[in-house]
Amino acid sequence: MLWLKALHLIFMVTWFAGLFYLPRLYVYHAMSDDAVSHERFKVMERKLYYGIMTPGMLCTFIFGFWMLKDYAWSLYSAAGWLHLKLILLALLAVYHGFCGKWLLDFKHDRNRHSHIYFRWINEIPVLLLFAIIWLAVLKPF
Protein backbone atom coordinates (compact mmCIF):
# COMPACT_ATOMS: atom_id res chain seq x y z
CA MET A 1 0.00 0.00 0.00
CA LEU A 2 2.80 2.44 0.80
CA TRP A 3 4.37 1.95 -2.63
CA LEU A 4 1.06 3.09 -4.19
CA LYS A 5 1.07 6.21 -2.06
CA ALA A 6 4.73 6.88 -2.95
CA LEU A 7 4.04 6.55 -6.69
CA HIS A 8 0.92 8.69 -6.36
CA LEU A 9 2.94 11.44 -4.65
CA ILE A 10 5.87 11.22 -7.09
CA PHE A 11 3.59 11.67 -10.08
CA MET A 12 1.57 14.36 -8.29
CA VAL A 13 4.77 16.36 -7.76
CA THR A 14 5.68 15.84 -11.43
CA TRP A 15 2.25 17.01 -12.55
CA PHE A 16 2.31 20.07 -10.32
CA ALA A 17 5.80 21.02 -11.48
CA GLY A 18 4.32 21.30 -14.96
CA LEU A 19 1.18 23.06 -13.75
CA PHE A 20 3.37 25.69 -12.08
CA TYR A 21 5.83 26.08 -14.95
CA LEU A 22 3.65 25.98 -18.09
CA PRO A 23 1.66 29.16 -17.30
CA ARG A 24 4.99 30.83 -16.50
CA LEU A 25 6.14 29.88 -20.01
CA TYR A 26 2.91 31.40 -21.30
CA VAL A 27 3.78 34.65 -19.49
CA TYR A 28 7.14 34.82 -21.27
CA HIS A 29 5.65 33.67 -24.56
CA ALA A 30 2.99 36.38 -24.43
CA MET A 31 5.72 38.94 -23.74
CA SER A 32 8.01 37.82 -26.58
CA ASP A 33 7.97 39.68 -29.86
CA ASP A 34 10.31 37.81 -32.20
CA ALA A 35 9.72 34.69 -34.29
CA VAL A 36 12.68 32.75 -32.86
CA SER A 37 11.39 33.16 -29.30
CA HIS A 38 7.86 32.21 -30.33
CA GLU A 39 9.08 28.99 -31.94
CA ARG A 40 11.31 28.15 -28.96
CA PHE A 41 8.42 28.63 -26.52
CA LYS A 42 6.13 26.48 -28.67
CA VAL A 43 8.61 23.59 -28.45
CA MET A 44 9.13 24.01 -24.69
CA GLU A 45 5.40 24.24 -24.01
CA ARG A 46 4.58 21.18 -26.12
CA LYS A 47 7.27 19.04 -24.50
CA LEU A 48 6.23 20.11 -21.01
CA TYR A 49 2.52 19.52 -21.60
CA TYR A 50 2.71 16.21 -23.45
CA GLY A 51 5.95 14.82 -22.04
CA ILE A 52 5.67 15.69 -18.35
CA MET A 53 2.33 17.16 -17.31
CA THR A 54 -0.10 14.83 -19.03
CA PRO A 55 1.72 11.59 -18.08
CA GLY A 56 2.09 12.99 -14.55
CA MET A 57 -1.64 13.69 -14.36
CA LEU A 58 -2.61 10.29 -15.74
CA CYS A 59 -0.31 8.41 -13.35
CA THR A 60 -1.48 10.55 -10.42
CA PHE A 61 -5.08 9.57 -11.18
CA ILE A 62 -4.23 5.91 -11.82
CA PHE A 63 -2.40 5.45 -8.51
CA GLY A 64 -4.87 7.66 -6.64
CA PHE A 65 -7.88 5.69 -7.80
CA TRP A 66 -6.02 2.45 -7.16
CA MET A 67 -5.54 3.54 -3.54
CA LEU A 68 -9.17 4.63 -3.40
CA LYS A 69 -10.28 1.22 -4.64
CA ASP A 70 -7.99 -0.74 -2.32
CA TYR A 71 -8.22 1.36 0.81
CA ALA A 72 -10.56 4.27 0.99
CA TRP A 73 -13.58 3.01 -0.95
CA SER A 74 -15.06 1.61 2.25
CA LEU A 75 -14.61 5.04 3.83
CA TYR A 76 -15.89 6.97 0.83
CA SER A 77 -19.47 7.47 1.98
CA ALA A 78 -18.39 8.78 5.40
CA ALA A 79 -15.40 10.88 4.30
CA GLY A 80 -16.60 14.35 3.34
CA TRP A 81 -13.00 15.51 2.95
CA LEU A 82 -12.47 12.88 0.24
CA HIS A 83 -15.53 14.07 -1.69
CA LEU A 84 -14.21 17.63 -1.65
CA LYS A 85 -10.71 16.47 -2.60
CA LEU A 86 -12.10 14.62 -5.63
CA ILE A 87 -14.07 17.72 -6.67
CA LEU A 88 -10.92 19.84 -6.40
CA LEU A 89 -9.03 17.25 -8.46
CA ALA A 90 -11.72 17.47 -11.11
CA LEU A 91 -11.26 21.26 -11.16
CA LEU A 92 -7.52 20.73 -11.47
CA ALA A 93 -8.09 18.42 -14.45
CA VAL A 94 -10.24 21.16 -16.03
CA TYR A 95 -7.39 23.63 -15.43
CA HIS A 96 -5.03 21.13 -17.09
CA GLY A 97 -7.40 21.07 -20.06
CA PHE A 98 -7.35 24.87 -20.28
CA CYS A 99 -3.54 24.72 -20.27
CA GLY A 100 -3.86 22.46 -23.31
CA LYS A 101 -6.25 24.90 -24.98
CA TRP A 102 -3.83 27.78 -24.42
CA LEU A 103 -1.04 25.57 -25.78
CA LEU A 104 -3.00 25.16 -29.01
CA ASP A 105 -3.77 28.88 -29.13
CA PHE A 106 -0.06 29.69 -28.94
CA LYS A 107 0.79 26.89 -31.40
CA HIS A 108 -1.56 28.38 -34.00
CA ASP A 109 -0.58 32.01 -33.19
CA ARG A 110 -4.02 32.93 -31.93
CA ASN A 111 -3.34 33.75 -28.29
CA ARG A 112 -5.50 36.68 -27.18
CA HIS A 113 -4.35 36.94 -23.56
CA SER A 114 -1.72 39.21 -22.06
CA HIS A 115 1.17 38.17 -19.86
CA ILE A 116 -0.74 39.65 -16.91
CA TYR A 117 -3.62 37.25 -17.52
CA PHE A 118 -1.24 34.29 -17.38
CA ARG A 119 0.43 35.66 -14.23
CA TRP A 120 -2.96 35.50 -12.50
CA ILE A 121 -3.84 32.12 -14.01
CA ASN A 122 -0.54 30.78 -12.66
CA GLU A 123 -1.87 31.13 -9.09
CA ILE A 124 -4.79 28.70 -9.51
CA PRO A 125 -2.78 25.46 -9.04
CA VAL A 126 -1.14 26.93 -5.93
CA LEU A 127 -4.53 27.44 -4.30
CA LEU A 128 -5.76 24.01 -5.35
CA LEU A 129 -2.57 22.31 -4.13
CA PHE A 130 -2.90 23.99 -0.75
CA ALA A 131 -6.53 22.88 -0.38
CA ILE A 132 -5.93 19.32 -1.62
CA ILE A 133 -2.95 18.71 0.66
CA TRP A 134 -4.79 20.26 3.60
CA LEU A 135 -7.75 17.94 3.04
CA ALA A 136 -5.63 14.82 2.49
CA VAL A 137 -3.44 15.34 5.55
CA LEU A 138 -5.87 16.80 8.10
CA LYS A 139 -9.08 15.05 6.97
CA PRO A 140 -11.12 17.79 8.67
CA PHE A 141 -14.57 16.25 8.08
Side-chain angles (χ1 to χ4, degrees):
M1 184 60 179
L2 289 178
W3 64 273
L4 278 177
K5 187 181 284 189
L7 288 170
H8 176 68
L9 291 172
I10 289 165
F11 286 109
M12 183 271 304
V13 169
T14 302
W15 182 27
F16 267 94
L19 289 171
F20 292 150
Y21 189 48
L22 187 60
R24 179 56 50 186
L25 287 176
Y26 293 158
V27 168
Y28 300 138
H29 195 161
M31 292 173 60
S32 68
D33 55 4
D34 62 285
V36 173
S37 294
H38 282 287
E39 293 308 311
R40 183 179 304 122
F41 282 119
K42 288 176 186 180
V43 170
M44 293 169 65
E45 292 158 358
R46 178 181 45 81
K47 287 182 176 183
L48 180 60
Y49 187 80
Y50 293 110
I52 296 173
M53 283 175 60
T54 300
M57 178 187 71
L58 293 173
C59 290
T60 298
F61 280 119
I62 287 167
F63 291 113
F65 284 116
W66 192 347
M67 284 190 305
L68 184 64
K69 181 185 103 25
D70 284 355
Y71 171 70
W73 197 254
S74 60
L75 304 173
Y76 181 73
S77 62
W81 66 270
L82 185 55
H83 296 151
L84 183 54
K85 179 186 174 192
L86 293 174
I87 290 168
L88 294 176
L89 285 171
L91 290 174
L92 197 59
V94 168
Y95 178 84
H96 182 102
F98 272 102
C99 285
K101 182 218 176 287
W102 296 318
L103 176 86
L104 293 175
D105 288 347
F106 276 114
K107 176 183 176 182
H108 297 294
D109 299 317
R110 60 179 187 232
N111 173 52
R112 302 289 180 247
H113 300 293
S114 72
H115 67 96
I116 296 169
Y117 173 83
F118 289 113
R119 287 180 196 276
W120 281 103
I121 289 300
N122 197 31
E123 303 306 320
I124 292 172
V126 174
L127 299 173
L128 289 171
L129 177 65
F130 181 84
I132 290 166
I133 296 294
W134 183 76
L135 288 167
V137 172
L138 298 179
K139 298 172 180 49
F141 49 89

